[in-house]
Amino acid sequence: MASSMNSLEAIQKKIDAVKLFLSVSLSIANAHTVDFYTCDVWDQFMAVPPVDVLTEITLNGDHKRTPEHYLNHGNAEKITFGFCDDSKRLVDVAELLEAAYAHSLPGLGVCVGRTELLQSLRHTDNAQPLEEVPAAVVESGEFMNSKKSHEVQAMSEVVASLAQRCRVKQVIDVGSGKGYLCSFLSLRYGLQVYGIDSSSSNTHGAQERNRKLKKYSRAYQRHSKANRTLTVMPPSGQEDLEDIAPGEREREDMVKMSGDAEKEEGRRDGEAQTNTTGLTDRNEEDAMTSLTSAILLEDNSLPELDQSDPASAPEDPFLSALCVGMVEPTSPRGPPSELSLEERERRKRENLERKARSWVNSGGMGSGMLYSPLTSYVTAETELKEIIGELEDAVMVGLHTCGDLAPSTLRMFVAKRELLSVCSVGCCYHLLSEEFDPTRQECPSSSVCGFPLSGYLREQSWFCGRNARMSACLALERVAKGQGIQMESLFYRAVLHVILKDHYSSFKSEKRVGNVYSKATSFVDYVWRALRRLELDESKLSDGVIQGYHDTYRPRMVEMEAFNMLKVTLAPCIEGLILLDRLCFLKEQEDVVFSTLVQLFDPLLSPRCYGVVGVKAPGTELSE
């Protein structure tokens, strides 16, 4: 990796190129889909037929001009990126598509591949050997669907290599959720992992998952040991260990270990997990379709991060018991129904504290704990030592940390001496707060905002806008494969807005229509359901009037389809600017000796596939 390609100055030039492009095209991403017909959005921004847009998007799949093409030609001719300088309307679709690719992360050539990053991390004199242990029980899909398994395995190898390079054994996972990454890092690489999440329900779920993983991992380790010591073929009629799938042997070992009661419990757990995993895989495409539709509707009903509300993270006994990953609370002596909630919580707390003391006295992590899930609300100002009593030098990670938590993770990495490296993959850009939001609704003046993060963009007071950040969440690769946009639901909502304007004086309400579309059998039914949700007078309309609106606007549905496809095309550019801002922030820090953007995941499996990596460990420096 040549230093000139990834220097601070080079990244700033990339940011300038993307800003220049977005200064012309960002208005499309910020347009409201809900207002598409009421504000005549198509005629406002487009000077070409919608069919031409769709045709060009379908046929023109090779947009390979570089940003330098536009910068170098800036003095000779006006830079329009397909837009007319006078009318500000799109006149050249091919030009816009080429420019969009050139100003995405792949077109900018600013990212490194995961393999290249791993080679750079491992080929240093400072690195210590990785201590990998088999973790087939986690890889087998027993506890994760295919998407999550792909993410966890890909990212864990990078995190383990960062730990190896920095010669540390501790990992802190911020926004750890259900603990998939934490468990894998501990099982596969023997790392001491602390998973911090603001949601107590996630922490409790992680505890239960740890209990099952401990049981499975012990069985797998015995099976692996037996395989290593087996040097002769088994006698006739005896099972051949090599011919038995790991999952089957693990279950048999557990039966020997735990008896018939454990066998029945394991069977139920296995069936439940298998069914859940199967359903998750089958419904993943439907879930992405619903998410994309919500994004294009600028729907605030998208899931929000619990971190946004410190009060939502109650005081929890786990904060003083750093070993809760190994704790398996016992049931009360009497039936739970006969105990009050306070009594159940008191007994659980005493049990956790007792086992915590036992764990500390028996040697901590060496006793078989997978990791420590902790419940806490964290910011860049959080003192980690108050949460983690035995904090040492560590790697900080975040897998799909929502909204402001991703930039907070990077701020924390820079501010805390004990954090020697970071690997952060963000998501939910619509939940980012912007410092230079003209309304200041998302980022009060007293708080620290999530965007921009770098001093370079802050000096320029750059502002994207919420709708543009919503657009950044769209998955171009999936949409290109025919997944993602539920166009009819968007059409219904836009026509409903016309009805509200015509018959309810541009009615606006704090209430939202919500997911009415999934329950509606027709457009007429959709409107009636929406009016009831908004508590409006239904006597003003009839079935015939409602159907008339549908028939009037149905021929123009192609305009909405073409416009939203352009939004999807611009999504990687907006995401790219957000990530370049984070990379620029790391490069502005004198003690960060290495920083880069890396594509960790397959974008078809995991659309938010880019990670921000930084190292400030002393010793052999990695070349930028």
Side-chain angles (χ1 to χ4, degrees):
M1 290 179 284
S3 59
S4 60
M5 293 295 294
N6 285 317
S7 66
L8 174 60
E9 293 75 15
I11 297 303
Q12 290 174 341
K13 287 182 179 179
K14 303 287 187 183
I15 289 176
D16 289 340
V18 179
K19 280 178 48 201
L20 182 62
F21 171 65
L22 291 179
S23 67
V24 176
S25 60
L26 197 62
S27 56
I28 291 180
N30 269 319
H32 287 265
T33 302
V34 169
D35 296 327
F36 191 79
Y37 297 121
T38 56
C39 296
D40 205 4
V41 170
W42 183 263
D43 287 341
Q44 181 181 350
F45 294 104
M46 302 292 147
V48 293
V51 174
D52 289 0
V53 174
L54 294 174
T55 300
E56 189 64 39
I57 289 175
T58 301
L59 297 180
N60 195 345
D62 189 23
H63 316 301
K64 297 300 184 184
R65 290 187 184 179
T66 64
E68 287 72 17
H69 164 84
Y70 302 100
L71 292 176
N72 293 339
H73 289 77
N75 296 326
E77 58 186 16
K78 293 289 185 179
I79 300 175
T80 65
F81 302 115
F83 288 86
C84 173
D85 294 328
D86 296 328
S87 68
K88 309 302 180 185
R89 299 167 73 198
L90 182 64
V91 295
D92 189 334
V93 180
E95 180 80 0
L96 175 63
L97 298 181
E98 290 175 353
Y101 175 82
H103 295 91
S104 65
L105 291 180
L108 292 167
V110 71
C111 288
V112 300
R114 193 176 70 94
T115 301
E116 183 182 359
L117 175 64
L118 289 172
Q119 291 174 347
S120 297
L121 291 173
R122 291 170 179 171
H123 292 167
T124 63
D125 296 335
N126 194 52
Q128 63 181 8
L130 282 174
E131 297 179 4
E132 297 187 27
V133 296
V137 63
V138 182
E139 297 172 352
S140 66
E142 288 284 342
F143 295 90
M144 293 178 276
N145 62 25
S146 57
K147 175 180 180 294
K148 183 59 65 176
S149 178
H150 168 69
E151 294 167 349
V152 166
Q153 293 188 60
M155 187 167 179
S156 65
E157 189 174 9
V158 172
V159 174
S161 295
L162 287 170
Q164 171 196 22
R165 194 269 174 189
C166 297
R167 305 183 71 84
V168 301
K169 295 295 290 182
Q170 282 191 359
V171 174
I172 302 172
D173 185 359
V174 179
S176 55
K178 297 180 179 179
Y180 294 114
L181 178 63
C182 298
S183 297
F184 194 87
L185 283 169
S186 183
L187 273 173
R188 182 65 180 269
Y189 298 103
L191 294 167
Q192 183 180 14
V193 187
Y194 295 95
I196 305 176
D197 198 275
S198 66
S199 170
S200 58
S201 62
N202 280 342
T203 303
H204 291 310
Q207 285 181 263
E208 177 62 16
R209 188 169 294 101
N210 278 346
R211 183 185 69 81
K212 296 178 181 179
L213 281 170
K214 280 173 55 184
K215 182 171 60 179
Y216 273 72
S217 63
R218 284 196 299 264
Y220 181 80
Q221 289 170 3
R222 286 200 306 276
H223 165 62
S224 298
K225 183 177 181 180
N227 277 340
R228 288 194 298 270
T229 58
L230 186 62
T231 57
V232 296
M233 293 296 292
S236 178
Q238 218 175 343
E239 294 176 344
D240 186 347
L241 291 175
E242 299 296 333
D243 293 335
I244 299 178
E248 296 174 359
R249 173 55 60 189
E250 290 152 9
R251 290 185 179 86
E252 290 181 9
D253 287 340
M254 282 191 296
V255 171
K256 297 174 183 177
M257 172 183 67
S258 306
D260 293 339
E262 279 288 350
K263 176 181 179 182
E264 179 62 20
E265 179 187 354
R267 183 186 63 80
R268 290 197 302 270
D269 290 343
E271 289 178 358
Q273 181 62 42
T274 301
N275 291 339
T276 302
T277 301
L279 289 172
T280 303
D281 288 336
R282 289 194 298 272
N283 292 335
E284 187 172 325
E285 181 176 330
D286 293 338
M288 177 53 67
T289 297
S290 300
L291 175 61
T292 303
S293 299
I295 290 171
L296 292 170
L297 285 170
E298 296 89 41
D299 191 349
N300 279 330
S301 65
L302 287 170
E304 295 195 7
L305 177 67
D306 289 338
Q307 291 269 39
S308 62
D309 181 12
S312 67
E315 290 186 4
D316 197 288
F318 300 148
L319 292 180
S320 59
L322 300 184
C323 61
V324 292
M326 67 172 292
V327 176
E328 300 174 15
T330 57
S331 301
R333 293 184 180 87
S337 59
E338 296 179 5
L339 296 173
S340 66
L341 178 61
E342 292 76 9
E343 177 64 14
R344 289 200 298 268
E345 288 299 317
R346 186 188 68 80
R347 293 191 180 190
K348 179 191 287 187
R349 186 161 52 249
E350 290 177 351
N351 193 39
L352 290 176
E353 291 170 353
R354 176 177 57 80
K355 293 196 175 184
R357 290 191 296 271
S358 173
W359 174 78
V360 172
N361 294 333
S362 64
M365 291 292 292
S367 63
M369 185 188 70
L370 297 180
Y371 83 101
S372 301
L374 308 171
T375 301
S376 180
Y377 177 83
V378 296
T379 67
E381 289 73 37
T382 299
E383 287 296 335
L384 294 175
K385 290 183 178 179
E386 295 180 0
I387 304 174
I388 304 171
E390 299 179 355
L391 180 65
E392 302 172 357
D393 288 346
V395 177
M396 173 159 279
V397 302
L399 174 55
H400 290 154
T401 47
C402 294
D404 285 348
L405 185 56
S408 290
T409 299
L410 298 179
R411 284 192 175 104
M412 198 179 307
F413 161 67
V414 168
K416 309 301 180 184
R417 179 192 57 79
E418 58 269 18
L419 299 178
L420 301 186
S421 59
V422 66
C423 181
S424 171
V425 181
C427 67
C428 302
Y429 302 126
H430 62 290
L431 297 179
L432 272 176
S433 59
E434 293 200 62
E435 181 176 358
F436 302 103
D437 176 4
T439 66
R440 300 295 293 177
Q441 292 179 352
E442 297 178 321
C443 186
S445 57
S446 60
S447 64
V448 178
C449 299
F451 181 84
L453 184 62
S454 67
Y456 187 70
L457 269 184
R458 293 185 67 208
E459 289 174 357
Q460 303 173 53
S461 303
W462 182 261
F463 172 71
C464 285
R466 186 177 189 277
N467 291 335
R469 287 183 282 107
M470 290 281 288
S471 297
C473 298
L474 296 168
L476 173 62
E477 290 81 5
R478 285 186 169 180
V479 173
K481 295 292 185 181
Q483 307 173 27
I485 297 185
Q486 203 171 54
M487 195 57 59
E488 188 177 62
S489 67
L490 304 178
F491 172 72
Y492 278 16
R493 183 63 183 86
V495 178
L496 171 65
H497 208 60
V498 177
I499 294 175
L500 296 177
K501 180 180 179 181
D502 291 351
H503 295 272
Y504 299 92
S505 301
S506 298
F507 176 83
K508 291 186 178 180
S509 171
E510 294 182 357
K511 295 184 178 181
R512 293 188 168 270
V513 173
N515 190 22
V516 173
Y517 174 81
S518 64
K519 303 174 183 178
T521 58
S522 65
F523 178 72
V524 173
D525 185 37
Y526 173 87
V527 172
W528 289 129
R529 289 176 178 270
L531 293 178
R532 287 192 290 272
R533 176 71 64 87
L534 298 173
E535 299 180 351
L536 294 176
D537 183 5
E538 300 178 37
S539 66
K540 293 184 177 182
L541 298 174
S542 65
D543 287 356
V545 172
I546 294 173
Q547 187 62 42
Y549 277 95
H550 176 277
D551 296 344
T552 298
Y553 286 95
R554 182 63 180 80
R556 296 181 59 187
M557 186 174 173
V558 66
E559 295 176 359
M560 177 174 285
E561 181 181 0
F563 193 83
N564 284 325
M565 287 300 296
L566 290 177
K567 274 194 169 187
V568 172
T569 301
L570 294 175
C573 307
I574 305 167
E575 179 183 32
L577 182 65
I578 293 171
L579 296 180
L580 285 171
D581 172 58
R582 295 174 184 178
L583 178 61
C584 185
F585 170 74
L586 291 185
K587 291 191 177 295
E588 291 171 344
Q589 314 304 317
E590 293 183 0
D591 59 343
V592 176
V593 299
F594 173 79
S595 55
T596 190
L597 288 176
V598 56
Q599 181 175 333
L600 291 171
F601 314 132
D602 179 347
L604 280 175
L605 283 174
S606 182
R608 304 281 75 80
C609 60
Y610 296 105
V612 182
V613 173
V615 176
K616 62 180 180 184
T620 304
E621 295 189 6
L622 295 171
S623 62
E624 294 275 354

